[in-house]
Amino acid sequence: MLTFSMRLNRLVLTLIFVSTGFAFSQECNIKLRGKIIDLHEDSPLDNAFIQILETNQTAVSSAKGDFVFDNLCPGKIIVKISHISCEDLIKEIDLKKSMDIKFFMEHHIAFLEEVIIEESQVKKLSSTAKTYLLSERQRDRSSSQGLGVALENISGVNNIKTGNNIVKPVIHGMFGSRIGIIYNGIPLENQQWGQDHAPTIDHNAFENIRLIKGAGTLKYSGDSPGGVIVLESKSLPIRDTLYGKTIINGMTNGRGVNLISSWVRSFQSGKYFKIQGTLKKNGDYSSPDYILLNTGNEEKNITFSLGRNKILSQWKVGFSFFSNEIGILRSSHIGNVDDLLRAIESKSPLIINPFTYDVNAPKQKNKHHTAFFQYSKRYDFNSKLNFQYSWQRNNRQEFDIRRGDNKNKASVDLLLNTHIFNSNYEWGRGVMRHDSGIFMQIQDNFSNPDTQVKRLIPDYFKTKYGSYFTTTITPSNAINYDFGIRWESHHNSIQKYYDNRRWEADQYESLYGSYVIKEVAGQKLVKRKLVFNNISVNAGMNFNLGDAKVLGLNFYLTQRAPDISEMFSDGLHHALATIEYGDPSLTQETTKKVVFNFEKNKGALQYSIGPYLSWAQNFIIIEPEGLLQTTRGAFPFWEFKAVDAMLKGIDFDLSFQISDYISFEHSSSWIDGINRNTKTPLINMPPVNIRNHFLFSLPRWKSFLMALTSNNFLRQNQFPDNNFYTDVVENGKIVNKLVDISTPPDAYHHIGMEMHWGPYSLKHNKIRFSLIFDNMLNTNYRTYLNRLRFYADEMGRNVMLQIKFNH
């Protein structure tokens, strides 16, 4: 009989046997193979230290990032991976069988943060010239309008207009192709030569809008003595996130509605996708006293891009489409000389009808496509190679008041295709930074002959190529220098028809007879090849004087080839209601400009003073010369010409933080332009303008902000006398009457107000409200820089309700 002790011993032996058998039955033959990869570069990381915390087994990754652990038992383990300049990666793995796993690490995280900061911060366009940046509030306020309106609160920036819808910026008295517009690194090519050709770009698609007055930066443009406007999207976060912004605008004047929305999806891998769209619809605008017939507009835009931000390389592809239809003031198109003179002398339009959303002839339609690819490779933090290809397709149509079968056919139909290739290399260490690049542009313009109207702009094929070099030297925190040089070679091939009557009247046979290739129906077809080689140089110095005071001095030399329109325009420019004639003998324009800037940029009181002086040879202008009666009505005719000019002026900006809740902003500018050949004023020089801006907030209501704005525009007393006489019929008799097409309108003053509330939380959104009053007192006025000022007043009071959602 077994005793209790014997039974206990037998039980222990049994348990030992069972447990030993179980242990020997568990197969520890699992293999874990791994690869350590840089999250942002997809490249292997060598010399990473890998540890299994439970067993203290270790390994080191190879040059290909590989490691392996053998003879592992089933179950959960914790793997810790360490690498220099990386945050430790700890991952739990449930081992059931042999596995191959990729481990992604944030390599060079500190370096990555530096790169993100460098790429996302708003870089100065020049280290010596003053750069202006629009705030988010300024961009949102002008979201219902165009780029020109968004920039007009900067001193020295005005707008030249054709009615109320077509607005383009004027900087230091220069506009058109003398101002470079760069978006996503691409020079905008959209028939920007015309006064009625507003930039076909949706500025709502860009978070950074910057401007430099002067010749700007040679990286982007060498023929822009007025200035450079740069629009860029901000760098996107390298993390998994989805966010967006939506703006809804409603306006009383024109009864317009706008919707602007953008969305961004980004990933931890650095990949991202962004889409943005804009819809605008406005009916006839109104002055304080009457409806401005046929001034409505409609706009549809979309932009999208995708790419990847990595430490050492980035790529991006994108596409945008801009489309608008713009009505031209109906009363600007007149049937005969008598009516034209009466319209100019009248205080109100000759044609006034009730409000409508319809957009009829005269009108213009614009479509602009852009596609691009960008790639950059960073070799270290001090050097970077960039490459970009872009394609733009611009279709511009102008519609006249026509009858019969041609009623819906465009009178001007231009198709412009532009291809641009450019590459640049940035490098430098210590006190010196350099940037050198090459570029090539191929451009083809086709003027559709199916309009059955004489072509305003001829067919042409243009190539442009060149290179640039810029350098910045910063020997100390107190001083830095800029220098740059750019060379461009323009090759133009033009085919143009000349009416025989004009050919003989202007005595072109002796000058251009050798270029005639055939004669058709009373016209001569001329084929010319033109070559322009341009050199542009800039040099600047910047001195830090202490107490946040900075002194800057910049010199610019720019050469600009004449636009095709300046040389070969020939016919009715429908949007301007004028006939335009080019000058085929024009040569390149050369401008020398000195810009001085003294500023205090910190503290409660900040200010900037910027005088400038420009000398220009062969400065190309267009001036009225008389009236012409055509089969489509009576119109003033304007002619391009070249003069020697001098432009001088001064810009002044000031801001003062009066208290924690009250601030004051001021900007003003003055410019004087002189034709040195005739000692007379230049046409279309902006008058003195003074803007004051008060901002108020309430200490107990931090989500409220109010602003009052005062805009004063003095009368322009310096203007050329381009008046002329014409014969009209009065009381059955022919009378020779003066046509005053030169005298500027009176000075004016209008007041605006803004009220902003928010942000307030609404589920997962932040919502803001704004109420914005323009021309609050409903003032009657006309502006000197509006080519349709002869026919109607400017817009009256407008109240805009704006709702913004941050998603």
Side-chain angles (χ1 to χ4, degrees):
M1 188 175 204
L2 297 175
T3 64
F4 174 77
S5 177
M6 293 172 65
R7 291 176 178 175
L8 181 60
N9 289 335
R10 181 178 290 181
L11 178 61
V12 171
L13 289 172
T14 301
L15 292 173
I16 291 173
F17 176 80
V18 171
S19 62
T20 303
F22 177 78
F24 280 105
S25 68
Q26 184 181 20
E27 297 182 0
C28 293
N29 60 359
I30 293 177
K31 182 178 289 188
L32 174 64
R33 289 180 293 268
K35 190 177 187 70
I36 313 298
I37 299 175
D38 185 325
L39 172 65
H40 299 287
E41 295 301 315
D42 284 335
S43 58
L45 293 179
D46 60 348
N47 293 318
F49 184 75
I50 305 100
Q51 181 182 17
I52 299 177
L53 298 183
E54 287 78 6
T55 63
N56 206 32
Q57 291 173 269
T58 61
V60 177
S61 62
S62 68
K64 294 183 179 181
D66 297 323
F67 71 90
V68 62
F69 287 109
D70 295 315
N71 302 322
L72 299 178
C73 299
K76 293 183 178 181
I77 63 171
I78 296 177
V79 177
K80 178 181 178 181
I81 306 175
S82 303
H83 193 276
I84 187 171
S85 299
C86 294
E87 293 182 347
D88 289 346
L89 175 64
I90 298 176
K91 187 169 185 178
E92 183 181 76
I93 301 172
D94 188 3
L95 288 176
K96 295 181 180 178
K97 60 181 181 179
S98 294
M99 307 174 69
D100 291 271
I101 301 179
K102 291 182 179 180
F103 298 87
F104 293 90
M105 297 195 71
E106 289 271 13
H107 184 226
H108 291 315
I109 189 67
F111 179 41
L112 174 63
E113 289 173 352
E114 287 181 318
V115 172
I116 294 172
I117 291 172
E118 185 216 12
E119 297 295 343
S120 63
Q121 68 184 355
V122 179
K123 301 176 190 175
K124 295 181 67 177
L125 297 177
S126 166
S127 65
T128 57
K130 184 173 176 59
T131 300
Y132 296 82
L133 170 71
L134 292 187
S135 67
E136 182 178 11
R137 183 170 62 85
Q138 289 172 322
R139 297 196 313 270
D140 291 346
R141 190 195 190 286
S142 61
S143 59
S144 64
Q145 300 163 304
L147 178 62
V149 176
L151 296 167
E152 67 181 359
N153 287 323
I154 299 174
S155 63
V157 180
N158 293 272
N159 284 318
I160 197 160
K161 305 168 63 177
T162 301
N164 293 294
N165 287 318
I166 305 171
V167 180
K168 61 194 310 179
V170 180
I171 305 174
H172 287 175
M174 300 183 183
F175 63 93
S177 56
R178 296 189 186 100
I179 294 177
I181 299 178
I182 313 297
Y183 64 112
N184 282 324
I186 305 167
L188 179 65
E189 296 287 343
N190 71 326
Q191 308 278 2
Q192 59 262 41
W193 42 265
Q195 181 172 325
D196 66 315
H197 301 181
T200 50
I201 188 169
D202 184 4
H203 69 283
N204 294 299
F206 304 93
E207 293 83 13
N208 294 329
I209 301 177
R210 296 172 290 158
L211 175 143
I212 183 169
K213 295 180 284 191
T217 169
L218 296 182
K219 176 176 183 175
Y220 297 118
S221 174
D223 54 1
S224 306
V228 175
I229 302 163
V230 178
L231 302 96
E232 294 176 320
S233 300
K234 68 178 181 181
S235 293
L236 302 177
I238 302 180
R239 64 174 185 271
D240 290 324
T241 184
L242 172 66
Y243 62 92
K245 180 178 179 179
T246 299
I247 299 177
I248 302 172
N249 297 317
M251 286 78 66
T252 59
N253 201 325
R255 306 178 195 178
V257 177
N258 306 155
L259 173 65
I260 303 112
S261 188
S262 62
W263 290 89
V264 173
R265 177 72 169 99
S266 62
F267 302 89
Q268 188 71 26
S269 63
K271 294 179 180 178
Y272 62 86
F273 177 82
K274 179 181 178 181
I275 186 167
Q276 185 271 344
T278 299
L279 296 173
K280 298 181 181 180
K281 178 72 174 179
N282 296 280
D284 289 337
Y285 294 106
S286 60
S287 74
D289 298 326
Y290 44 79
I291 298 293
L292 300 168
L293 179 62
N294 199 49
T295 55
N297 68 292
E298 186 172 355
E299 187 174 313
K300 300 174 183 177
N301 313 318
I302 188 168
T303 302
F304 73 83
S305 60
L306 59 91
R308 186 170 185 181
N309 289 326
K310 299 194 287 187
I311 297 174
L312 299 181
S313 65
Q314 298 88 35
W315 62 266
K316 181 180 181 180
V317 295
F319 175 82
S320 65
F321 173 68
F322 177 98
S323 173
N324 67 5
E325 183 178 25
I326 301 172
I328 306 299
L329 182 70
R330 178 61 183 85
S331 59
S332 65
H333 282 235
I334 305 299
N336 55 62
V337 173
D338 292 358
D339 287 343
L340 177 60
L341 183 61
R342 189 159 57 92
I344 292 175
E345 294 177 343
S346 175
K347 292 185 178 181
S348 60
L350 299 185
I351 305 173
I352 300 175
N353 285 343
F355 172 88
T356 178
Y357 282 101
D358 295 338
V359 177
N360 300 308
K363 66 179 180 180
Q364 60 177 243
K365 289 183 177 180
N366 299 285
K367 294 180 180 179
H368 193 89
H369 301 76
T370 304
F372 66 90
F373 170 75
Q374 299 169 342
Y375 176 78
S376 63
K377 176 71 174 178
R378 187 182 294 278
Y379 296 96
D380 54 45
F381 195 63
N382 297 299
S383 61
K384 185 179 180 183
L385 178 66
N386 304 291
F387 169 81
Q388 178 173 273
Y389 162 74
S390 65
W391 165 76
Q392 299 176 68
R393 178 186 177 91
N394 184 266
N395 181 215
R396 176 179 183 80
Q397 295 179 311
E398 297 184 5
F399 294 81
D400 195 7
I401 302 170
R402 307 174 79 176
R403 304 287 192 276
D405 295 338
N406 294 326
K407 180 178 180 180
N408 297 316
K409 183 178 290 187
S411 298
V412 174
D413 190 352
L414 302 173
L415 182 62
L416 182 71
N417 279 285
T418 306
H419 302 267
I420 303 176
F421 309 82
N422 61 275
S423 181
N424 71 294
Y425 182 64
E426 305 169 37
W427 77 100
R429 290 182 180 274
V431 300
M432 301 185 70
R433 299 289 303 173
H434 315 288
D435 187 355
S436 181
I438 57 175
F439 55 89
M440 182 175 183
Q441 181 188 95
I442 300 173
Q443 189 172 82
D444 180 36
N445 186 74
F446 174 69
S447 183
N448 189 350
D450 294 339
T451 61
Q452 299 180 10
V453 175
K454 184 170 65 173
R455 304 179 196 187
L456 175 64
I457 302 296
D459 295 344
Y460 66 86
F461 184 82
K462 178 168 70 174
T463 60
K464 180 173 73 173
Y465 54 85
S467 62
Y468 73 89
F469 171 78
T470 64
T471 187
T472 299
I473 305 173
T474 311
S476 70
N477 292 330
I479 188 171
N480 62 330
Y481 305 94
D482 263 352
F483 173 79
I485 185 169
R486 182 181 176 106
W487 168 74
E488 296 181 355
S489 184
H490 298 244
H491 298 254
N492 302 327
S493 178
I494 303 104
Q495 294 191 75
K496 172 175 172 52
Y497 285 96
Y498 284 92
D499 182 84
N500 283 341
R501 287 173 297 179
R502 188 182 174 204
W503 182 271
E504 294 171 1
D506 292 340
Q507 301 179 350
Y508 282 163
E509 181 64 32
S510 60
L511 297 172
Y512 311 115
S514 60
Y515 300 110
V516 176
I517 58 176
K518 67 176 180 179
E519 294 195 33
V520 180
Q523 298 183 93
K524 289 180 171 62
L525 178 60
V526 173
K527 184 175 182 179
R528 295 181 63 188
K529 292 186 178 181
L530 303 173
V531 177
F532 300 94
N533 288 294
N534 299 335
I535 293 288
S536 298
V537 177
N538 69 22
M541 298 180 291
N542 210 46
F543 303 92
N544 189 338
L545 305 178
D547 293 331
K549 295 183 176 69
V550 178
L551 176 65
L553 179 64
N554 286 268
F555 169 78
Y556 307 105
L557 167 67
T558 62
Q559 291 186 317
R560 184 181 73 89
D563 286 329
I564 298 298
S565 65
E566 294 169 335
M567 299 185 71
F568 300 107
S569 287
D570 188 4
L572 178 60
H573 205 159
H574 300 270
L576 290 175
T578 59
I579 295 168
E580 295 181 358
Y581 292 130
D583 182 351
S585 66
L586 293 174
T587 59
Q588 67 189 173
E589 180 181 285
T590 301
T591 303
K592 301 171 186 176
K593 186 172 186 177
V594 177
V595 180
F596 174 89
N597 187 71
F598 177 70
E599 66 175 312
K600 180 177 180 292
N601 52 32
K602 291 183 181 179
L605 177 64
Q606 301 181 28
Y607 52 83
S608 172
I609 304 171
Y612 57 90
L613 179 63
S614 299
W615 301 267
Q617 292 178 298
N618 298 319
F619 188 73
I620 301 170
I621 61 174
I622 183 170
E623 290 186 316
E625 299 292 338
L627 293 176
L628 282 179
Q629 178 73 49
T630 73
T631 57
R632 296 191 300 279
F635 300 95
F637 74 90
W638 295 54
E639 290 187 339
F640 287 97
K641 63 181 69 174
V643 302
D644 291 338
M646 181 178 69
L647 293 87
K648 58 185 176 181
I650 186 169
D651 303 330
F652 178 64
D653 296 276
L654 179 143
S655 65
F656 181 44
Q657 190 70 39
I658 300 172
S659 71
D660 291 340
Y661 310 107
I662 303 174
S663 62
F664 169 72
E665 297 174 356
H666 167 90
S667 66
S668 55
S669 61
W670 166 81
I671 183 173
D672 183 33
I674 298 295
N675 180 338
R676 292 189 293 158
N677 303 107
T678 60
K679 309 300 181 184
T680 56
L682 288 175
I683 194 171
N684 286 336
M685 288 295 106
V688 173
N689 58 82
I690 303 167
R691 294 182 174 92
N692 294 307
H693 199 63
F694 284 92
L695 290 92
F696 306 88
S697 60
L698 300 177
R700 295 184 180 179
W701 198 358
K702 296 182 180 180
S703 60
F704 175 75
L705 175 69
M706 185 174 74
L708 292 175
T709 302
S710 169
N711 294 290
N712 285 276
F713 288 81
L714 305 187
R715 185 179 185 274
Q716 176 58 279
N717 293 316
Q718 303 297 318
F719 59 94
D721 184 0
N722 297 118
N723 296 337
F724 51 85
Y725 286 86
T726 188
D727 291 334
V728 297
V729 177
E730 285 188 356
N731 300 321
K733 297 181 180 180
I734 297 177
V735 179
N736 192 242
K737 293 197 67 173
L738 174 70
V739 181
D740 187 353
I741 204 168
S742 305
T743 304
D746 293 335
Y748 62 92
H749 173 223
H750 58 80
I751 295 174
M753 184 173 69
E754 305 173 29
M755 292 182 286
H756 306 276
W757 295 267
Y760 304 109
S761 296
L762 180 64
K763 293 185 178 180
H764 301 294
N765 303 309
K766 295 289 186 180
I767 185 171
R768 292 175 170 86
F769 301 93
S770 298
L771 199 59
I772 300 170
F773 299 82
D774 288 319
N775 193 6
M776 193 164 58
L777 301 182
N778 212 24
T779 303
N780 292 85
Y781 68 98
R782 300 190 182 192
T783 62
Y784 177 55
L785 295 185
N786 191 335
R787 279 278 287 269
L788 301 187
R789 71 177 187 272
F790 310 108
Y791 310 108
D793 290 343
E794 296 289 328
M795 280 176 54
R797 181 188 298 113
N798 181 50
V799 182
M800 181 173 76
L801 173 63
Q802 184 175 89
I803 305 174
K804 294 186 287 186
F805 298 89
N806 286 93
H807 310 288

